[in-house]
Amino acid sequence: MTTRLYYKDSFLYNFDAEVREVIDSPRPALVLDRTAFYPTSGGQVFDTGLITASDDSAKLRVTEVADAEDGRVVHYVEALSNDLKPGTRVRGLIDAPRRRDHMQQHSGQHVLSAAFIRLYNMPTVSFHMADDYCSIDLDTLVLTKAQIESAERLANEIILENRSVDIRFVTREQASNLGLRKLPPTERDELRLIAIRDFDLTACGGTHVSQTGQIASILVRKVEKVRQGWRVEFVAGQRAVSTARRDFTALTETAALFSAHIYDVPQQARKALDEIKSLRKQREQSQEELAAAQAAALLADTPEINGRKLVVRSLSNHDLAFIKLLAQKVTRFSPHAVAILATTSPQPSLVFAQSAGQPFDMGTLMKETMTKLGGRGGGSKDLAQGGIPNPDGIEKVLGEVAAKLIA
Ligand SMILES: [Zn+2]
């Protein structure tokens, strides 16, 4: 069993220890007689830092720390050193900003979970700490915006009051009489309790601040319905400030696009979307009208040969959707038309169509043409489309397709 120094002092970032075990596979790792490094557990992630030989002959970077089932704490390191053997005296140095961040998030979680219990009797069933946010899952069917805001407010009041956060060790029997927010399922005789003065008492093995003021602030972010209840994402401490900073930057950039105040962005965005919707509708209608007029003109210009009108045309500055619309109009306006259409820009594309009842197979014809032009396409017997990498030789190919249909 490794003696866990963080159990009694979360602010211990430097410590002396002795190497107990050197592990080289599957990953290089050290086990010490005692450690202040926190191994991932209870939703809190591991510490990182350095383990240095007391005579400075070796310096190993600790990249991950894990709990072994038998109570040892395993420090995974980048690489081992021959100077560190069982019995070597070492110094541990924990990455303090990372630890402080974890203490703020984890202690913030205790305060927020207790606030949801105090106000609405909503128990926390799980806690997760990610790189940029944390989340708790609340066991509740309903969670309103007003409830979230009230819990966030109460949590921040408890932080402002700078209440003491104490570590207590009690027996399991003593603990059962104390009215804990959460009793762990383990069979351990001694329990470690975290007490936020007159607000929360819970069993926990993590690292916490010593005064709630050190949490600095709690900002609730996204909430979402999950299988077991509601997931509440939040950030605490410096993360709350950097998250708010990032939000503000994004919002300011967006507001500048609209030349508006940041609080008017939702209204401005709604207005812009409404305009886009209305313009899109107008454009669709203009395209319909334009296609109808062009289709009528093309049919009027095309002589009937063998009882059929073969319309062959290459356009530019029209998209595939437009030439498709045009082909549909041509083959609908005339009961015996075939439309062989192309556009050279913005994206070189082809559309072949025939009036219902005409004898050709546009899908097959398109596939053959695509093979020739190095593009991809296909379709049904009456309507087919394809896209090609460049417009070179489109006119020539249209001529060949037309010649084949006349023959
Ligand atoms: Zn805790």
Side-chain angles (χ1 to χ4, degrees), residues 44 106-107 109-110 194 202-208:
Q44 185 180 332
H106 191 152
S107 308
Q109 179 260 312
H110 281 232
I194 302 301
T202 190
C204 184
T207 57
H208 306 85

Side-chain angles (χ1 to χ4, degrees), residues 95-278:
D95 179 340
R98 179 180 163 94
R99 161 66 72 82
R100 264 198 294 273
D101 170 58
H102 293 174
M103 289 198 289
Q104 286 182 320
Q105 310 313 313
H106 191 152
S107 308
Q109 179 260 312
H110 281 232
V111 175
L112 188 61
S113 289
F116 276 113
I117 282 276
R118 286 261 166 158
L119 293 174
Y120 308 110
N121 203 26
M122 292 178 186
T124 294
V125 290
S126 71
F127 165 51
H128 174 70
M129 189 190 287
D131 283 341
D132 47 4
Y133 70 91
C134 299
S135 65
I136 51 174
D137 285 0
L138 296 174
D139 184 4
T140 176
L141 289 173
V142 181
L143 181 64
T144 66
K145 197 163 166 266
Q147 287 174 326
I148 294 160
E149 287 177 9
S150 298
E152 186 188 58
R153 193 177 314 117
L154 174 58
N156 280 293
E157 278 165 14
I158 297 298
I159 289 170
L160 278 176
E161 288 165 7
N162 201 22
R163 299 191 185 208
S164 62
V165 181
D166 295 315
I167 304 166
R168 285 183 212 154
F169 292 90
V170 296
T171 63
R172 208 173 167 79
E173 199 189 328
Q174 287 170 319
S176 59
N177 298 323
L178 285 171
L180 294 195
R181 177 159 58 79
K182 207 166 113 192
L183 246 181
T186 54
E187 291 297 311
R188 233 175 285 148
D189 288 337
E190 192 185 51
L191 288 182
R192 180 175 183 262
L193 304 186
I194 302 301
I196 299 173
R197 183 170 48 80
D198 299 334
F199 188 63
D200 187 43
L201 185 62
T202 190
C204 184
T207 57
H208 306 85
V209 297
S210 56
Q211 303 277 140
T212 56
Q214 291 161 335
I215 300 167
S217 61
I218 288 178
L219 177 65
V220 172
R221 306 266 299 161
K222 200 171 86 181
V223 297
E224 63 177 332
K225 185 91 189 67
V226 288
R227 197 148 37 111
Q228 246 192 317
W230 281 84
R231 178 158 301 161
V232 177
E233 283 185 16
F234 69 94
V235 278
Q238 190 58 38
R239 281 194 199 193
V241 177
S242 51
T243 305
R245 164 64 47 207
R246 209 164 58 228
D247 293 352
F248 183 75
T249 304
L251 202 49
T252 303
E253 272 176 36
T254 315
L257 294 176
F258 291 113
S259 304
H261 190 274
I262 56 167
Y263 298 124
D264 294 332
V265 163
Q267 190 202 338
Q268 292 286 338
R270 254 192 304 272
K271 211 172 105 193
L273 286 174
D274 284 347
E275 274 173 28
I276 290 169
K277 226 184 261 172
S278 137

